[in-house]
Each structure stands twice: as structure tokens, then as C-alpha cells.
Amino acid sequence: MKAAYYDINGGPDVLDYGDLPDPTATDGHVLVRVQAISLEGGDVLGRRNNPPRHPPHVGGYAAAGVIESVGSGVTNLAVGQRVACFNWQGSHAELFAVPVPFVFPVPDALDIKVAAVGLIAFGTAHDALFEFGRLEPGETVLVQGAAGGVGLAAVQLANRAGATVIATASSAQRIGRLQSFGATHGIDYRQENIGVRTRELTDGVGVDLVVDLAGGNALRSLLQALRYRGRLIAVGGASGEGGGTFEFSDIAPESLAVFGMLFGKELHTARVHEMIAGIFDDMATGRISMPVDRTFPLAEAAAAHRHAEEGHPFGRILLVP
Ligand SMILES: NC(=O)c1ccc[n+]([C@@H]2O[C@H](COP(=O)([O-])OP(=O)(O)OC[C@H]3O[C@@H](n4cnc5c(N)ncnc54)[C@H](OP(=O)(O)O)[C@@H]3O)[C@@H](O)[C@H]2O)c1
């Protein structure tokens, strides 16, 4: 098969494109003929930061396509079925081997590319807002890193749930676009102090929930944006600045709660399968959407990763084998 792969971690130029042996559908797995690959924020961080344990390493978490073969013991999925899928690695290729619990049927009415870009973005955002964040109608949520895939999903889902949404991004132009997706207010994180500006926007009260997709140095400012008993969900590190730190005194006086989450550890559950089925129905009818900023051939994976890192894409980047 053709694949984009790397032997060492580093910048986009570590990515090569060429022939690798085909994976197979082992017990409890299916082999998917990939039609659309979603370039996820985590794919970029993984390529940059994580030395591959077994090079050549085919990166990538998310793709969609058609089942080519099924391993032994697989009875609930069939050859020819259209699916979206996740695995911890391997989506940047023509063939993607995936354990059955990470396979999600795509309804006939849903474009396969839309399914590819929707699975992780909307699933993660849904869990951050509702499963871990316990967002209620009438509450206010701050989405840090709102113009990326998970952020745009969070803005739409929170708005639809009756919450007021404050969205951060790196320019006024991007904030304007976010408002058309349901953000009530925007903060340019390059120009403004997020904690101070959030207090101004909420009449000094602060927000009920923060969904943090950027991590890093702004963490304290995000905690300062919370109201008494507010919740922060630590989802991502898109800033590339590392984890961010806080102390007892940052959370105790206001009785704040900080949760982490890793969506990949919930994906196999019946709860998430039901949630994704609802998301795919909503995407098929256009109630929610994920803008595709640019589409690249898989052969140009290095250029796609460079655009993800440097080009400030709005929404997702697609790779097509
Ligand atoms: N925990 C989980 O289960 C889980 C699941 C999925 C994703 N993630 C993680 O969540 C993060 C977001 O994922 P994604 O796929 O949405 O990534 P993405 O599409 O690459 O978007 C990342 C966004 O972060 C923003 N950003 C970058 N630096 C920032 C900073 N210093 N301050 C504020 N915002 C900043 C960017 O906004 P501008 O372009 O406007 O600068 C960009 O829109 C990634 O780190 C990913 O690994 C975690």
C-alpha cells in the first residue's frame, strides 16, 4: 500500500511517502480501504514530539472508507460497508487496520469525507462539554482554541445546547467566522488577557466551563476566567507550549474543578457509539458541520502537516489517498 510515514519524529519534512507492506485484518479487526483521512491536531503533535517505537511509523488517528476484509470473529460488520474509524496510529495510508470497537458505520446520507472529519472532532467536543463538563442550558462556556476541529465542534454543540459561547482564536477575522458558527463573543488570544476579558464579557461573574484545547502558558488565565465552582476540562495541547501548571492557590479559593480527558479511552463504549450515531445524523442533515480548510493528496502529507502547523487552518484538513 501507499502510505505517509516517518522514521524519526520532527518537523513536517520527516514525512515520507511510498510503499509499505499491507496491514491485515487480524482477529477482531477490520481492514478499511481509506477514502478520506482527517488530519487531526494530535497527528501533528505526535509527529513532532513522539519518537516512533517501531519505524517506519504510519501516523494518524482518523479516517473513513469501505471495509475491504474482516478478521475472524467479526460478525457485526461486513465487507463493503462504509465506516469511519479511529486507531492509535495508521490512518495516513491506503489501508487502515482497526479494532471493531473503534469502527463507526456511516449512514447512506452522509458523505464519507464529512464522516472522516466529524468523528473525533465532534465526539471529543461532545464528551468535553457534556460527559465531563456537565454543561447545562443557560450556562456560559469558554472554548480556548476554537477555530480548530474540536473547537469548532464545541462551539456548535454548546450553542445548540443553549449555552453562551466565548471563543478564542488568533485574529479578529477568525473570531468573525466563529460567530457564524454560534460563538456569542470572541477573544483574540494574541492581543488580550483571556481572564480579564472574560470577566468583562460576563459582568465580572466568570464562565461556568472552560474547554481548553491549547494547554500551555494560558492555563492560569483560563482558571481566572471561571466563576465560583467553575469547571475546566483539559483536552489538548495545541499551543505546543507543554502542559501548563497551576497551584493549590489557583483553584482552592474559588472551589474550581479541573478534569482531564482522553476520548480514545471512551471510543469503544456503547455510550460513545450512540452519541456518534446522533452526530452523524446531525451532520447528514446539516444541523452541524465541520469546515474543510484544504484537501491534499496523501502523497503531499508533508505539505498538509506544514499547513496544519503554520497556516492557521479554519476547521479540518483532509488527506485523500
Ligand atoms: N484529550 C482528547 O481526548 C483529545 C481529543 C482530540 C484532540 N485532542 C487535542 O486537542 C487539541 C485540539 O485538537 P484539534 O484537532 O482541534 O487541533 P487543531 O485543529 O489543530 O486546532 C488547534 C487550535 O488551537 C489553537 N491554538 C494554537 N495555539 C494556541 C494558543 N497558544 N492559545 C490558544 N489557542 C491556540 C489554534 O488556533 P489559531 O489557529 O487561531 O491560532 C487552532 O485553531 C490538540 O492538542 C489535540 O491533540 C485531545
Side-chain angles (χ1 to χ4, degrees):
M1 66 168 181
K2 296 286 188 200
Y5 58 90
Y6 48 96
D7 294 331
I8 52 165
N9 60 305
D13 290 336
V14 300
L15 277 161
D16 278 325
Y17 177 77
D19 289 300
L20 289 179
D22 289 357
T24 52
T26 52
D27 287 2
H29 287 63
V30 300
L31 189 65
V32 175
R33 170 76 48 188
V34 173
Q35 295 176 325
I37 301 156
S38 177
L39 179 43
E40 301 285 320
D43 298 345
V44 173
L45 291 174
R47 187 216 69 234
R48 179 164 286 285
N49 298 326
N50 303 337
R53 272 191 272 173
H54 306 289
H57 176 83
V58 180
Y61 301 127
V66 175
I67 295 181
E68 176 119 330
S69 60
V70 302
S72 62
V74 178
T75 54
N76 60 333
L77 295 165
V79 170
Q81 200 172 347
R82 297 163 76 241
V83 293
C85 36
F86 163 87
N87 206 349
W88 300 103
Q89 62 182 68
S91 77
H92 282 33
E94 289 177 322
L95 293 168
F96 190 21
V98 185
V100 166
F102 291 163
V103 179
F104 297 80
V106 175
D108 291 344
L110 186 62
D111 188 302
I112 205 78
K113 293 177 179 167
V114 177
V117 295
L119 175 65
I120 300 300
F122 277 102
T124 304
H126 199 285
D127 260 15
L129 292 169
F130 306 115
E131 179 69 13
F132 294 94
R134 303 284 169 198
L135 184 70
E136 297 286 342
E139 288 194 324
T140 301
V141 57
L142 171 69
V143 181
Q144 163 80 326
V150 181
L152 267 159
V155 168
Q156 293 173 73
L157 294 177
N159 171 264
R160 213 175 50 152
T164 300
V165 182
I166 302 175
T168 76
S170 57
S171 71
Q173 187 260 352
R174 289 164 79 71
I175 288 168
R177 288 185 76 182
L178 282 162
Q179 284 169 330
S180 70
F181 281 85
T184 313
H185 307 286
I187 298 176
D188 181 340
Y189 71 81
R190 290 183 165 177
Q191 306 286 341
E192 299 174 284
N193 178 293
I194 298 168
V196 171
R197 183 67 187 129
T198 301
R199 293 261 158 209
E200 288 170 6
L201 291 169
T202 56
D203 296 327
V205 175
V207 297
D208 301 278
L209 178 67
V210 171
V211 174
D212 182 14
L213 303 166
N217 302 332
L219 181 58
R220 280 213 167 91
S221 187
L222 297 178
L223 291 170
Q224 286 157 9
L226 285 169
R227 68 153 171 80
Y228 180 71
R229 278 196 185 218
R231 298 95 67 193
L232 182 144
I233 316 297
V235 182
S239 69
E241 293 166 351
T245 55
F246 63 90
E247 295 172 12
F248 175 82
S249 57
D250 293 309
I251 59 169
E254 294 299 312
S255 302
L256 305 181
V258 177
F259 301 88
M261 63 163 278
L262 187 56
F263 185 51
K265 291 202 168 168
E266 304 268 334
L267 263 164
H268 64 284
T269 61
R271 176 186 70 76
V272 166
H273 276 257
E274 194 179 323
M275 179 257 281
I276 295 293
I279 281 167
F280 280 175
D281 283 347
D282 285 344
M283 293 191 94
T285 53
R287 285 192 287 269
I288 52 176
S289 63
M290 182 52 58
V292 171
D293 182 270
R294 270 183 76 177
T295 301
F296 291 83
L298 180 59
E300 295 174 20
H305 274 237
R306 191 171 302 106
H307 181 58
E309 275 194 42
E310 299 169 7
H312 292 278
F314 190 83
R316 278 276 175 260
I317 295 169
L318 257 184
L319 293 163
V320 179

